[in-house]
Amino acid sequence: MVPTKINNHFVKRSHCPVCTSENLKMLYSEAYESENITDYLDDFYNAQGGVEHEYLKGTDYSLLQCLNCDLVFQENIPNDDLMFRLYEQWIDANIVCKAQEQYPLWYHETYANQIIDLITFFKRKPIDLKVLDFGMGWGKWCLMAKAFGCQVYGLELSKARIDYAQKNGITVLNEAELANHKFDFINTDQVFEHVPNPKATLETLLEKLAINGVIKISVPNGNGVNEVLKHMNWTAKKGSANSLNMVAPLEHINCFKTQTILALAEQFNLYEVQIPRSKTYYKSKKDFIKKSLKIFTAKKKPSTVLFFKKSSS
């Protein structure tokens, strides 16, 4: 592979963060200082806050493909300090908080439906279900699970989001406090594409998952990433056919295909389970649901959502 440039605000990943293979192929590389990427970042972040481009100078945005598990991932990723700056300063919490408080009704109903499915699957009273939302964001999933009566906990790095969740009655744990808990269900929604080491993250979470517990992994659908990368259309809007959102610079540092998630789960002897969708909420609101799904799919590509069960063997 051709060496890529990197400054001291980034760290280089030299092996696959899912399977640790070093059998890698360079798919794409371009300087963060290029007009393509500078314009892309400004277009995406200016409405949320803004990028300090000086932190990106002397570094290449480079995409590698693992030839073992097929993960596509960014070689150079922000270090801890730059990650903090990105999520806490470049993305202005006040702006984003006001935006998420205006989410439409269908967004909240989606979470309600998920919780109904979860409770139905476990066939237990909500009060007997202990759940964790890992990377909870503003705590919307937690609030819905709490409304149904589940024992709810959240984990999040952003102080602004932690404060918001706690003000709304959510118990937020830090990583050290996780050692005192076992969960029946762990929710990870749009998280694993952001973490530097997905394998290590999953291993840590599984230590906190009860036997016969279930973990949900939901990530942007990366099954068509290779076709998207043939075009490298930096101006394609999010949700369009050639959108680069699944490999968005700085944030979506891992791009998962279904087979990659399955390969990750297999390393820990997890097996996939299906959580059927309850029919109770499709009868009286059929027209509303259809409209909601239409709006939802118009805004973003479907995520890959897989559930895995932890057994005693």
Side-chain angles (χ1 to χ4, degrees), residues 72-89:
V72 173
F73 63 98
Q74 293 177 35
E75 179 184 28
N76 303 323
I77 63 173
N79 63 17
D80 290 344
D81 290 340
L82 185 56
M83 280 278 193
F84 177 85
R85 197 169 195 91
L86 166 63
Y87 289 109
E88 289 291 273
Q89 297 182 29

Side-chain angles (χ1 to χ4, degrees), residues 10-56:
F10 285 76
V11 293
K12 185 184 293 287
R13 297 193 288 184
S14 58
H15 61 267
C16 175
V18 162
C19 70
T20 71
S21 172
E22 296 182 1
N23 189 13
L24 309 173
K25 176 184 178 181
M26 179 70 73
L27 296 180
Y28 183 82
S29 186
E30 184 170 349
Y32 268 105
E33 296 168 78
S34 71
E35 185 176 355
N36 278 334
I37 299 182
T38 298
D39 289 348
Y40 177 93
L41 293 175
D42 284 340
D43 182 65
F44 185 78
Y45 287 104
N46 280 353
Q48 306 177 71
V51 174
E52 299 166 293
H53 290 282
E54 60 268 27
Y55 285 87
L56 310 179

Side-chain angles (χ1 to χ4, degrees), residues 93-160:
N94 292 323
I95 295 174
V96 178
C97 184
K98 290 178 182 177
Q100 60 90 30
E101 288 179 339
Q102 303 302 315
Y103 287 169
L105 180 59
W106 63 261
Y107 173 90
H108 301 283
E109 185 171 39
T110 299
Y111 279 161
N113 293 346
Q114 289 178 13
I115 303 303
I116 292 172
D117 294 342
L118 178 63
I119 295 170
T120 303
F121 173 81
F122 277 99
K123 299 179 180 178
R124 288 153 63 180
K125 295 178 180 178
I127 191 60
D128 295 328
L129 285 178
K130 189 173 180 180
V131 301
L132 171 71
D133 193 4
F134 178 77
M136 67 175 182
W138 297 99
K140 296 300 186 182
W141 188 93
C142 289
L143 286 170
M144 191 62 71
K146 182 181 179 184
F148 276 90
C150 300
Q151 302 175 54
V152 180
Y153 299 83
L155 191 145
E156 172 62 45
L157 295 179
S158 166
K159 186 178 185 305

